[in-house]
């Protein structure tokens, strides 16, 4: 086992003031230059970042955000990705926080995405709008405590329950916003996995709850009266941060959002070329496909809306991992009306903190009056409605394709 | 069931030429105006997009990408999201396609993300680099065929196998790049779920395979010689597009990438303040947490790297849904060296098509010499190495925090 | 759609007194006769229960249980399955309820099963015994309430919490043993899924909780003060009865049992031919296999013990479905001792009710002093210890095979 | 770490001839005596197998199976569990192997189980019978090969494909029945997980495939031409033996059986008191519950039938673990007929080997003409039909309960 001591040049940095246009430019020049020669730095002689791209970066350096405003959002800032924003809407939202018609900015590079959501929005609006409800709300940190045996670990579980008030009080010393709602407990081997659930105001809250949970855990460690505690770690992987889990589907992470709409059969036929009944029937087929596949989402494509709004609005796009889960449910009533509900169990959103105050991101939030205090559930509702629109549009498109092609060959199906 | 007939103003469009600066500006003005008044349009009288944000959009309209160049990537273009890019690296990659030291552009709004990846990259580079291998490659479309009963569906399964060559030939008439590799089959009830696996060159290929699969399915429908076929749909939800599934973990979607590194205990202690043994032990604990939670990723946070590179490099950020799955595996050898491997079963990447040719996106790809033909596996390898760096850095940080705090209170653990 | 009106002979029954030797014999004669001719009754002319087996049933009719004692356990009694019982043990159990050495009756038809458990028991006993702990205990019924929309469903959730005391009181009117511990709630679309958790004394309790939950639900339906409740169903499939679910792994069903043992490296080598380190290492490999497969049990074969004890002891063997989940966890300490823990999240056991009072079943329970009141956790602990023994034995056997074969070919591995 | 050296008496054994009535009796006497005193052997002084049960075992020793006939099925034979058998049927089965009316022996201790299946059988028979089809068939052993890195592991994958014919030939040297059908491959870290799929005639085949796979693996180890192979283990946990996995649901283990029936709305109403439409609607609700719970079976209770037939017919009851997975699918056609299909992806059955030749077990198989050669798919079909009957009966019962209670309180739902 030998370690590598070849030197590769470091990215330019200024320890005192790294968030300046000067440094940004130096880094752009640096990387331009490297991309023209770093191939030689490859240990095998093959090219790494090679020659033909050495003409320098023009567009990355074109931005209106001030480098100093990116402190806290990025390190080694070199410029920006210009991600095209399309405007979808109007969509009529009947939420408890979002009420009225909204135009939704979608940042994506995937053609037809905006058009498809637009189409769904039109039908939903014509049907009277999407009813959207935030039914749960929590952000987690999930430490694990390790004991000599399972019996000691169980004992701690009881102690945690008995001392919840003090643990809560300790955790909340670190934040003026976060509130410790409850602590779930899970037992395996000699470990006790805890899952702290906080409400975090208008922030997504991952850092807030880490800090609060750390203080609570240190207090626990210092005050736990029984023997056997070996150590703890701030995350035992049951948070489950930046990844989907069945646990998140069950107990939510971020906002649990349910978007619903009822659409008449006629409206579906006129606008989407499909009947309520066929949409319903095909959903049964795709549900079986989802179950066979072990899919975390029996709907069509909710992450398309979520990723596009997340990028436009300064959300953490890595949370698409958690937010990509969804449960679709459909029904047709005795009058032939189609009911569609999308349940998003772990939608992680913020209208404060993270990237929300950056230049374009803040503007996008403001376009929907979703920037800042008291707006996070409004944003969640608008995202829920948008997801619903996309689900409707795509599932109809898949089906209508089938429908049309079926017509070409009617003899076969008779 | 009544439908809604209130009128909400439409987003300005020009049917002839919708991709102009003029239209982009009209739409920005429109949405600025709407965000100043659309509250009134709310059916309940509550504000939708309300007043205080009516000062207009300044930053969204600041871009160097040409509106006409966004055709095919966006509809109703109004401007861009400026997503800050930080430069991480160098990271030494020992791939089959990427070889040498790379500087990786990460577009994110989450502070510390770039710094954390940087730290991991430094250690990996010092350890001799990340060995990265693309071990599988396929993009899917998964139609479902519906019969009168399970026996007929089974019969079709045999027919599909017998006629694979012709089906392949039909599918490939639609594309000069895509190749039909194989067709998986899954049976449930009276349905036959097929999963077509294509290689798609340097494109991600979702549209390519849809078209190819559609032609193949129409041919099947027209030529299937036995009775009982009722209908088919182009997706029976086993693709599984824009969502994680166990099926994707098993059979891959996009590239299956494995990144590995071996690091000496000393290097870990000197740079990350943790020992190989403790990292190894704690991973066992978090593996149990992952299993309890039903998590799709027993690692720490691979989507952070993936989302950031996807946004920087014009990838489809909604594919973070699939790409967020990962399998971490660690070992310590008899000399105390730490082996860490990250397996990403469904990394969906492109160096051609999608958003790869947009202004900043192309530049970011070029910074790594990953734009265009023949580069897609190189990009996949660099992403794999970056994921590995983040995994190392964060898992050490979680543990070191525990380690440090343990020191504060040594008496308790003795 | 035509219905079938061919007549097939009915199984002999006596409405007044169906549990007599006379009727049992009549039914045996009937089925013997049918199995000699029912082939003709096949609609297609092919044989169903055909001729060569018509010599009658000899052994099924050989039993010491009295037919009248099977009332409540079986309908249309014709005799018994004679399932061989082997005796494993002694195994030293250090439980809170089971303490001492136990001989465990295992009813199975699979050769080597008893021998393999025996081997593991010997090593565990030599290592000082298995520490076993019941860390959780609950039996569920999970009704679902359906509303007009998600908002109404959420409202009911709050009402359920506010009225828990009364709901508990209503549920407990139906039982002198069952206690309603808590009600979990899960939201999707316009449904509210509740999961009632009861403790049920020494009974498994499925019927007890159904009845209690039904009364509670009827009370809820009658007293729910808000509008929108459409209907409810006593099971919305979140119980999850007779099937494994991640929910059961998280929140347990029946007893959550953790069995632990620490074994010196020397003891492992002397008795099982494997080292602690190799056992540990190979477990990492199989854990990845489990995760890839989406397995509900990362251990080797806990259902072997569970099914065999269930059959011997009058448990409901269908509950192997839930009870088959397990989480194995291993560690090696600094002195080379091997720690193995098996966590069985959903072990469904009874020492009262069900088949526990039948002739041989009661005897088997009594062999372990586990029949009747106050014994259910003792039985759970003994099962946990037995599972642990099997896990140790089989994982060593798989590995030793590898080990031995490796020796044959040492050149290759160097 | 001290080891335990207290002596606990061993179970009586005769190395020469352990399968005699004499030894069986000695062991019964032994365990009777132990159960009267082993409490004292507890290290903590608490009772283990304590006094009150010391009256000896009467019923376990009552059997007609000959002890010598249990060799190969059990070790340390002490007698039998007498598990009551009830007779359900007739059920009309329209299989490819089972055709006609069948009476099915169900060994269980759970009251109402036989009655409930009976009820479902009556309705299915009236509807023209259950159509049952075995659509797939394979038994697995899944070794894992470990390399220095992922690239070497991938290389082996290709070599395995190229050398399949020879590997198959080697594997099949060990068996006159088993045929190696194909080898699945899964990659993670530096491991290559293989999954050998065999057909195994009328045996369940777990031992057959272990032996065949071992020989194949040894041949691979001896003949693999490239460097890097570190070692292999015969099971890398992807078999997945004695546990459910999503992999089994996808690729089957044992027989994949689909049972279907179409029943008129009138027949449902007349016999079960429910309408096709309500059954259909409620299934949608429970599907969502299943998905939320992460359940491996979206049906009601297939393991009830499976466990009962397994015990009666000498199957390995531990395989209820795998066999408990199921996918239910329902539909209602335009004439109101209800279509119900149960897909059992991993039904593990045998009509040869295992416990099939034991006294009562053989009789039960013969009752259905399912003993011995060429009968295994017939048995699988009958089990499939029985599962279908239970699914129908229970889902109707749950719903009718709701229906009836709804009537009590009609005002509320209007």
């Amino acid at each position: 086992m030998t370690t590598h001591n070849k030197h590769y040049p470091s990215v330019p940095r200024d320890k005192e003031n790294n968030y300046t246009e000067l440094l940004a430019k130096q880094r752009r020049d640096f990387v331009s230059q490297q991309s023209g020669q770093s191939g030689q730095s490859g240990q095998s002689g093959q090219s790494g970042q090679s020659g033909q791209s050495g003409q320098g970066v023009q567009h990355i350096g074109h931005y209106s955000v001030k480098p100093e405003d990116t402190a806290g959002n990025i390190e080694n800032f070199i410029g920006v990705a210009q991600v095209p924003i399309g405007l979808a809407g109007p969509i009529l939202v009947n939420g408890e926080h979002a009420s009225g018609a909204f135009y939704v900015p979608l940042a994506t590079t995937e053609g037809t995405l905006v058009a498809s959501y637009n189409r769904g929005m039109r039908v939903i609006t014509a049907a009277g709008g999407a009813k959207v409800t935030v039914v749960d709300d929590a952000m987690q940190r999930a430490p694990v405590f390790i004991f000599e045996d399972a019996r000691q670990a169980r004992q701690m579980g009881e102690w945690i329950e008995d001392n919840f008030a003090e643990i809560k009080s300790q955790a909340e010393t670190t934040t003026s916003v976060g509130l410790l709602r409850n602590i779930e407990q899970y037992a395996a081997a000699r470990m006790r996995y805890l899952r702290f659930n906080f409400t975090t105001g208008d922030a997504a809250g991952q850092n807030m709850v880490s800090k609060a949970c750390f203080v609570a855990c240190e207090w626990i460690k210092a005050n736990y009266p029984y023997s056997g505690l070996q150590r703890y770690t701030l995350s035992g992987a049951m948070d489950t941060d930046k990844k989907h889990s069945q646990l998140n589907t069950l107990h939510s992470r971020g906002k649990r959002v349910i978007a619903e709409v009822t659409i008449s059969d006629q409206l579906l036929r006129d606008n989407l070329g499909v009947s309520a009944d066929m949409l319903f029937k095909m959903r049964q087929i795709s549900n079986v496909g989802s179950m066979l596949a072990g899919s975390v989402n029996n709907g069509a494509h909710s992450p398309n809306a979520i990723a596009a709004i997340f990028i436009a609005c300064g959300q953490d796009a890595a949370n698409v991992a958690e937010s990509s889960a969804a449960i679709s449910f459909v029904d047709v009533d005795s009058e032939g009306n189609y009911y569609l509900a999308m349940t998003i169990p772990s939608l992680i959103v913020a209208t404060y903190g993270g990237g929300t105050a950056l230049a374009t991101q803040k503007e996008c939030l403001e376009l929907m009056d979703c920037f800042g205090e008291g707006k996070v559930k409004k944003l969640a509702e608008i995202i829920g409605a948008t997801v619903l629109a996309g689900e409707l549009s795509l599932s109809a498109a898949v089906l209508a394709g089938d429908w049309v092609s079926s017509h070409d060959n009617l003899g076969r199906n008779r």
Side-chain angles (χ1 to χ4, degrees), chain A:
Chain A
M1 174 87 226
T2 62
T3 55
H4 201 77
N5 44 29
K6 175 157 186 182
H7 182 67
Y8 302 103
S10 294
V11 175
R13 274 186 77 214
D14 181 331
K15 281 196 171 181
E16 298 303 308
N17 191 358
N18 204 34
Y19 291 93
T20 61
E21 183 50 36
L22 178 66
L23 263 298
K25 172 112 184 30
Q26 283 183 9
R27 283 188 284 260
R28 286 196 294 276
D29 291 345
F30 167 83
V31 72
S32 289
Q33 191 187 14
Q34 290 300 319
S35 69
Q37 33 175 268
S38 68
Q40 290 89 317
S41 65
Q43 59 179 13
S44 65
Q46 293 175 263
S47 68
Q49 278 150 316
S50 77
Q52 79 271 31
S53 53
Q55 72 275 36
V57 289
Q58 311 291 332
H59 295 285
I60 290 174
H62 186 94
Y63 42 78
S64 61
V65 63
K66 295 180 192 161
E68 58 265 37
D69 289 348
T70 66
N73 291 111
I74 198 85
E75 295 86 43
N76 289 351
F77 174 78
I78 59 167
V80 307
Q82 297 180 24
V83 185
I85 301 174
L87 194 65
I91 180 167
L92 184 56
V93 182
N94 306 321
E96 294 172 303
H97 305 275
S99 185
F102 290 86
Y103 299 86
V104 181
L106 299 169
T108 183
T109 59
E110 300 305 308
T112 77
L113 189 152
V114 175
S116 176
Y117 278 89
N118 235 346
R119 189 173 83 126
M121 287 175 171
R122 197 174 61 239
V123 177
I124 287 174
T125 299
K131 183 175 283 187
V132 195
T133 311
V134 176
V135 299
D136 204 356
D137 178 15
M139 179 48 61
Q140 292 80 24
R141 186 52 60 200
V144 57
F145 288 77
I146 303 154
F147 294 85
E148 288 165 8
D149 64 33
R151 222 167 281 168
Q152 291 175 346
R154 183 189 61 187
Q155 184 178 37
M156 191 218 206
E158 291 160 12
W159 185 85
I160 293 287
E161 281 191 20
D162 294 343
N163 291 272
F164 176 73
E166 183 59 24
I167 293 167
K168 175 179 166 67
S169 155
Q170 289 291 328
E172 294 175 0
T173 58
T174 64
T175 163
S176 59
V177 171
L179 296 170
L180 179 59
R181 200 185 72 179
N182 69 306
I183 303 175
E184 299 161 48
Q185 300 197 25
Y186 301 98
R190 56 194 175 191
M191 289 83 80
R192 199 76 181 180
Y193 293 85
L194 306 182
R195 186 165 140 123
F196 285 62
N197 289 283
F198 292 87
T199 54
T200 59
D202 291 290
Q206 290 98 329
N207 293 337
M208 186 193 300
V209 304
S210 288
K211 201 171 155 191
C213 188
F214 176 70
V215 166
C217 287
E218 287 292 303
W219 181 86
I220 290 168
K221 197 174 71 170
N223 290 277
Y224 185 65
Y226 305 114
S227 64
L229 176 57
Q230 302 297 296
R231 63 181 179 282
Y232 84 91
T233 304
L234 197 53
S235 174
M238 295 192 76
D239 319 85
T240 49
D241 195 15
K242 304 284 153 89
K243 46 229 170 220
H244 167 79
S245 68
Q246 193 72 34
L247 177 50
N248 283 353
T249 289
L250 285 164
H251 291 305
S252 308
R253 179 169 168 86
K255 311 300 181 251
R256 191 178 194 91
V257 180
I258 303 177
E260 305 167 278
V261 68
T262 302
I263 312 174
S264 73
D265 183 58
Q266 197 58 51
L267 199 56
L268 288 172
R269 291 175 184 270
D270 292 348
N271 285 273
L272 300 173
V274 295
S275 69
D277 198 53
M278 278 303 287
L279 271 179
F280 182 45
K281 291 286 177 108
M282 290 312 299
R283 186 65 73 162
Q284 315 310 321
I285 306 283
S286 63
N287 276 348
V288 171
S290 285
M291 188 187 176
L292 282 173
S295 182
V296 307
N297 178 347
N298 69 338
H301 68 137
S302 54
N304 271 331
I306 291 169
I309 299 178
F310 275 19
I311 296 171
C313 295
Q315 311 296 308
D316 185 349
N319 290 134
V320 169
E322 293 109 312
S323 303
S324 65
I327 300 135
S328 73
F329 176 75
V330 298
D331 199 4
V332 175
D333 69 20
S334 56
E335 296 167 33
N337 298 304
Y338 181 67
Y339 169 83
L340 170 65
M342 290 298 289
T343 301
I344 310 169
S346 296
L347 184 68
I348 302 179
V349 283
T351 56
Y352 178 84
T356 58
L358 286 167
T360 61
Q361 288 81 348
K362 185 180 175 208
E363 284 181 357
C364 282
L365 286 169
E366 285 175 341
L367 286 180
M368 301 181 290
D369 185 32
C370 283
F371 179 72
E373 215 175 310
K375 301 294 187 187
V376 73
K377 290 188 178 173
K378 184 178 186 182
L379 178 60
E381 290 175 349
I382 295 170
I383 295 175
T386 305
V387 163
L388 192 72
E391 191 71 15
L392 177 65
S393 179
L394 181 55
S395 55
V398 171
L399 186 57
D402 160 64
W403 195 246
V404 169
S405 67
S406 296
H407 277 262
D408 295 336
N409 207 352
L410 270 177
R412 153 144 245 104
N413 290 339
R414 274 182 294 202

